[in-house]
Amino acid sequence: MNAQSANSPGKGKDIVPGGVWNDVDGKYINAHGGGVLHYNGKYYWFGEHRPDKGFSTQAGVTCYSSTDLCNWKYEGISLAVSEEAGNDIEKGCIIERPKVIYNEKTKTFVMWFHLELKGKGYEAARAGVAISDTPAGPYRFLYSGRVAPGRYPQNMTTEEKAIVWNMDDYKEWWTPKWREAVNKGLFVKRDLKDGQMSRDMTLFVDDDGKAYHVYSSEENLTLQIAELTDDYRKHSGKYIRIAPGGHNEAPALLKRNGMYWMITSGCTGWAPNEARMFSAPSIWGPWTQHPHPFVGKGAEKTYGGQSTFILSLPGDKFVFMADIWKPDSLMYSRYIWLPIDFDEAGKPVIVWQDSWKPGL
């Protein structure tokens, strides 16, 4: 595991999970917590530009392009932070997990990301949106905010909606009483007026062109899936909760043979943990939890990484993408990309490989 190689994505013919990944100019690929967009025969990898020291965003969102997933050209900063004081994406804010999807109707590329305002720690828990007429950008920032203000989840019962919570009664976390309250929507109700929290996130476009924002919410305790409007720039107001109180983050989705699969991680900061996996016959659920899909040495800690995206390739192929976080220098966090196989029952299976060829 964690093979060291300069002949890995960026410059070569193989993908070397955990290796040193340089672009075609020999510079370290700085695109963390990212996702990949396929458009017009080319792959565009968007990710967090992380500094050598510290963790706030000093540059913005980077973009790299490739035709083979192995040789990556640096396209520059696709979304730059602002020098304007008080701007939502002011230099020094925190931009995480950027994802880009293409809207066929508007012919526009739409980027969503997790945003924390400068100097506010992680209390903002917002989603940010930016658009561009070209895949690599530059992207124009539109706005940031929380999810579906004033709206209840589709799968919250009438009884749960009617409960009036006194937050002073739930200052102590992890007690049986507190867990029960979280499951019934304690934090949904607390955040109802201003909207639901949105942190670690991904985007998913379904076969019918409908797009969804999938994110960790309710103090990172509960996953939510929110439908986007037809132009992909806002939430429609329709959303659900998944695994209340399960403490999941870093969601990544795929759809195969009519079944939706989602891989997530637990919440352990920068440290790796045992991944989780869920499935559903509809994006709206019901979602069922399964054992994680990883096999072999290091599987119990997701091979040292944390999920960020699942890339769908032609020929019913999928690639699991993850980050090996290096908190002492986040810029040099490494990447794990592995092919996803499926067992006889159709469940995803991910096996470590020191190197492999995408075969595009």
Side-chain angles (χ1 to χ4, degrees), residues 60 174 226 302:
W174 310 115
T302 319

Side-chain angles (χ1 to χ4, degrees), residues 164-178:
V164 177
W165 300 103
N166 181 356
M167 297 304 297
D168 289 337
D169 294 338
Y170 298 93
K171 289 182 177 179
E172 184 181 354
W173 286 31
W174 310 115
T175 65
K177 175 184 174 183
W178 176 88

Side-chain angles (χ1 to χ4, degrees), residues 15 26-27 31 40 42-43 95 100 103 108 138 143 156 167 186 190 205 225 271 295 334:
I15 288 179
K27 296 182 179 179
N40 200 22
K42 190 176 286 189
Y43 294 91
I95 293 176
V100 173
N103 189 288
T108 304
Y143 72 95
M156 195 168 175
M167 297 304 297
L186 175 71
R190 181 198 68 181
V205 180
I225 297 181
V295 177
R334 298 193 180 183

